[in-house]
Amino acid sequence: MKMNNKIKSINKLSLVISILISIIAWFYVVYNINPTMSRTYRDIPVTILGEDVLMENNLAVASLDNEYIDIKLRAKRNILDKIENNSIAVSVDVSEAGKGDNKIAISIIPPSGTVLSKQSAKSVTVKVDSLKKRNLKIKTSMSGKLPSDEELDLTDIEEKTVEVKGAKSLVDTASYAEATVDVSKVDKSEKTISAKLVVKNASNKALKYVRCSPSKLKIKVVKSNNKKVKLNAIVNNPDSDLVERTYSAPDDIYIKGDKKSLQNIASIDTKTIDISNINKTTDIEMEYNLPNGIAISNKSKKMMLHVECTPLKTKTFNIDSESVRLKNIRDGLSTSTSGSVEVTIYGNNEELNRIQDSDIILSIDLSSFNAGTYSLTPEITSAGSARRSVVTGEISIKLY
């Protein structure tokens, strides 16, 4: 009997010890393995609610003095570990705001299982301005990187302009709306993607409180290969009697198409570019003779032929009357001459240096003149390799 009582006492003691161990283990797990603790989450964006109501009253948000706040949450560690900034709802309701500065309380909805213990701001000052609408041009950009031998082609854009609306002080500074194409969403088959529109000012800074309507743009886009090849500029450049023309074009050009079509192309010719009537320095956009399925790469869009025009040099000769050839003198008439004329010739330095006095040949046709004294300007029969020549003055001819 005594033995049984002893056994029972031992069993009770073991039970008590087991319970104590369990309690200690529970406290250890709760307060060491998964304790209740506090954690600060920084730069939580303040979301604006009630903007549509504000716009119905012809008002719009211009700015917030605090666009981000920090908050401290208290919860079990395993709960805090799962919380991301975007799961914390921080907002202000502007539906009842008026024009000017409005101090509005911040609303915070902490994630389930947490308690809000601290926040860096309890309110924000919301500046409200008159609502303004206007149309802006749309620009496209690219996010992400492509291999150097690939590029994007925007084959069709739904709209060229978009209506924007927002605070007058912001809309007045708006320059364009940008639609950004994510290259990771594009492949070698044409597809239509929806790109978010963001309004930006002239400094390319996003105006976050200005809306686009619609907010997204549909763009047809495809990925293609590109290749650098030799460029042959075909130019018609005859000698001019007014200017010396020289021209230059890039040595290479990028073309695009499918990889197989590009494989055997080593060079591209321009269409013939006629610069014969160009007398001032200028740039001319080139056109090309391209094989089927090949186009000019975005890298080489609007490549120019540069035409440099320099006025021709001049050289002047004084030719006396005795050097002028008199032609077709009527029978029975004799002649005497006096005076001189000036001959100005045009060309580049090399051409002018080759021309001497003996190369200048002047003549006068006297077939229609009877006896008398005349003042006549000779004609130029030859001026060597000059591009242009001009005679100034007259000589006196006496027919008797």
Side-chain angles (χ1 to χ4, degrees), residues 224-280:
S224 62
N225 289 96
N226 62 51
K227 181 181 180 181
K228 183 168 77 170
V229 298
K230 181 177 173 55
L231 176 64
N232 301 316
I234 312 301
V235 181
N236 177 35
N237 182 27
D239 286 343
S240 167
D241 60 0
L242 296 174
V243 294
E244 175 77 358
R245 280 189 299 261
T246 57
Y247 62 88
S248 60
D251 293 328
D252 303 305
I253 188 170
Y254 282 90
I255 56 176
K256 64 185 178 183
D258 64 79
K259 202 165 188 175
K260 186 176 180 181
S261 298
L262 292 171
Q263 198 169 19
N264 296 320
I265 300 176
S267 65
I268 290 293
D269 293 343
T270 67
K271 293 183 178 179
T272 300
I273 306 167
D274 186 0
I275 63 173
S276 60
N277 293 319
I278 293 178
N279 296 315
K280 291 183 180 180

Side-chain angles (χ1 to χ4, degrees), residues 2 27 33 44 115 134 231 242 246 251 308 314 319 344 382-383 387:
K2 288 183 179 181
F27 273 100
I33 303 297
I44 310 298
V115 175
R134 60 183 283 217
L231 176 64
L242 296 174
T246 57
D251 293 328
E308 190 78 25
T314 62
I319 308 297
T344 302
S382 174
R387 300 194 193 183

